[in-house]
Amino acid sequence: MTWLTEFDTRLADLDAAHLTRRRRVVVPEAGARMTVNGRSMLAFCSNDYLGLAGHPALKAAVHEAVDRYGVGSGASPMVSGYSAANAALEAELAEFVQLPRALYFYAGYATNASIVPALVGAGDAIFSDALNHACLIDGARLSKASIHRFDHADLAALDAQLAAEPARRKLIISDAVFSMDGDVADIAALRALADRHDALLLLDDAHGFGVLGPQGRGALAAAGLTGVNASPRVLYMATLGKALGVAGAFVAGPDTLVEWLLQKTRSYTYATAAPALLAEALRAALRIVGSSEGDQRRAHLQALIARLRDGLAPGADAAIDAAGWALMPSDTAVQPLVIGDNAASLRVMASLQDDGLWVPAIRPPTVPVGTARLRIALSAAHQADEVDLLVRALRSLARGV
Ligand SMILES: *Cc1c(COP(=O)(O)O)cnc(C)c1O
């Protein structure tokens, strides 16, 4: 007898519950179009919010970097992997987010899963928003600190949990923009709670960096908490594979805390450094994000968000409302349309697909049970008439429900 045979049954159970995940093979086309399993589709699922992933300036930067540095970094940044390009990127990231120092990682998941255990451990306490990204949750579990989960955005509950916790070292962790809902955390209030309870605050701005705040400096800058107003108890983390169009992540904050993370983060020490070609692509991306071209891209994205909401938000279309579908309140590029049932959300996704529109259905456990949704992601790469096409398709599907 071996338990290995159970994997067949367990896979069948996933399938029966409509929880099997399938990958599609994609090749990018112009704008927001992609060839998906051989067929041209208009995609509303990329986190490339500013449309930079295929930008000529980023491609040129990569070509030059390959000629200078080759392809791989060859080692951990603690050994010989810390290229001049990576060092320059860190300085530019810190300056851009107006915080004292930044540390550049090869991936966001690895960053959060590893910086949380570097900050707190057994006997310490973590306070985590219920809708936090999986990598923050995994980091909290790895840390062996006790974990207090508070209901999404319930800062009164967080305040009470912080007050009741006797541990001396307390860490609050939160997405800055919630990845499956698109809403923005009340960062000023979180910081005030951190101050009041002598806690550290770690913010994950994967979906705000490049998009929110002046020049796209991110959610912390939008909250006015960078530069002279930077807090000694706030660590800012953001990923570089979304609005920046490349890959990787960084954490920025007070010098001492960042130095501690450099010394103690296992995914930093024991992983091969990100290649210089990515760092150079990111430096090029950062220059665009902070430029007037970046402003134009953000303005175009905001106009598309308003256009989609005009077409789908509650009250905009009787059939959408009657179907029980609800566009969540969000001002960001993440615009989730909650369908509710897993199978129903898959059916809507499949119908859109027949029309050449690719919008991913997101199901539990990524989102709470009963809130399966289409996660519509808009990008500066979309055109207004492409958003209109999606709105019309969804309105017509709602009439058939
Ligand atoms: C995408 C994402 C990550 C992971 O970043 P990767 O660089 O893709 O590993 C972390 N946090 C949030 C909120 C994300 O959306």
Side-chain angles (χ1 to χ4, degrees):
M1 285 304 110
T2 167
W3 61 280
L4 294 183
T5 56
E6 291 167 16
F7 285 105
D8 279 330
T9 334
R10 291 163 78 183
L11 282 171
D13 290 346
L14 278 184
D15 221 24
H18 303 284
L19 291 175
T20 302
R21 295 158 194 273
R22 301 192 198 286
R23 297 173 300 171
R24 292 160 185 78
V25 179
V26 307
V27 181
E29 297 175 19
R33 299 199 71 87
M34 300 178 184
T35 308
V36 184
N37 289 343
R39 175 175 169 214
S40 178
M41 306 271 288
L42 179 59
F44 290 91
C45 41
S46 169
N47 301 316
D48 177 22
Y49 300 128
L50 295 180
L52 294 182
H55 195 287
L58 274 68
K59 292 184 186 175
V62 169
H63 290 145
E64 273 178 43
V66 168
D67 287 343
R68 178 157 177 215
Y69 290 98
V71 178
S73 71
S76 159
M78 298 312 227
V79 187
S80 61
Y82 187 54
S83 68
N86 294 29
L89 173 64
E90 285 184 344
E92 288 162 12
L93 284 168
E95 197 195 330
F96 188 71
V97 297
Q98 302 166 317
L99 293 170
R101 192 171 168 195
L103 193 61
Y104 165 47
F105 286 75
Y106 62 93
Y109 179 92
T111 305
N112 281 339
S114 211
I115 61 177
V116 174
L119 294 167
V120 290
D124 303 335
I126 292 172
F127 303 83
S128 175
D129 188 287
L131 294 188
N132 276 343
H133 191 269
C135 59
L136 281 173
I137 296 167
D138 292 355
R141 289 178 180 156
L142 270 173
S143 76
K144 302 191 176 74
S146 66
I147 302 170
H148 303 275
R149 213 173 85 124
F150 56 93
D151 284 348
H152 176 49
D154 186 348
L155 299 192
L158 170 60
D159 191 15
Q161 289 176 351
L162 283 160
E165 171 58 57
R168 203 166 58 83
R169 289 200 283 242
K170 301 172 190 173
L171 171 66
I172 305 166
I173 55 178
S174 181
D175 283 16
V177 175
F178 288 86
S179 53
M180 295 301 140
D181 292 50
D183 60 324
V184 183
D186 186 345
I187 293 173
L190 285 169
R191 187 219 154 139
L193 285 178
D195 281 339
R196 187 180 316 153
H197 296 283
D198 191 21
L200 199 58
L201 171 63
L202 169 62
L203 289 169
D204 175 347
D205 197 23
H207 301 274
F209 183 61
V211 181
L212 301 182
Q215 281 98 46
R217 291 177 204 272
L220 191 62
L225 298 179
T226 56
V228 291
N229 296 320
S231 164
R233 52 176 82 253
V234 175
L235 276 169
Y236 177 77
M237 177 273 181
T239 67
L240 301 166
K242 288 164 181 151
L244 272 279
V246 187
F250 70 97
V251 56
D255 224 338
T256 313
L257 285 177
V258 174
E259 177 63 24
W260 177 257
L261 292 177
L262 170 60
Q263 299 305 323
K264 289 293 177 186
T265 305
R266 292 169 68 83
S267 72
Y268 193 79
T269 305
Y270 299 108
T272 301
L277 66 94
L278 296 182
E280 289 295 351
L282 284 163
R283 296 179 69 199
L286 208 53
R287 282 191 289 274
I288 295 169
V289 168
S291 72
S292 58
E293 181 184 342
D295 285 337
Q296 284 159 20
R297 285 173 182 265
R298 280 182 291 275
H300 178 54
L301 176 61
Q302 281 310 320
L304 296 176
I305 292 167
R307 204 173 178 96
L308 182 92
R309 296 201 65 84
D310 279 349
L312 296 181
D317 182 76
I320 296 266
D321 296 348
W325 301 354
L327 193 68
M328 298 184 72
S330 159
D331 303 324
T332 66
V334 179
Q335 292 288 326
L337 182 68
V338 173
I339 306 288
D341 178 64
N342 291 349
S345 68
L346 286 177
R347 276 197 303 275
V348 180
M349 177 184 173
S351 303
L352 290 172
Q353 216 160 289
D354 292 341
D355 292 342
L357 302 169
W358 183 11
V359 188
I362 309 286
R363 291 157 286 155
T366 308
V367 294
V369 173
T371 70
R373 65 196 67 177
L374 298 179
R375 181 183 183 272
I376 303 168
L378 295 175
S379 160
H382 286 119
Q383 303 298 324
D385 60 348
E386 294 175 330
V387 170
D388 295 346
L389 204 64
L390 176 64
V391 168
R392 277 199 305 274
L394 281 166
R395 285 177 162 195
S396 129
L397 285 173
R399 269 162 192 82
V401 167

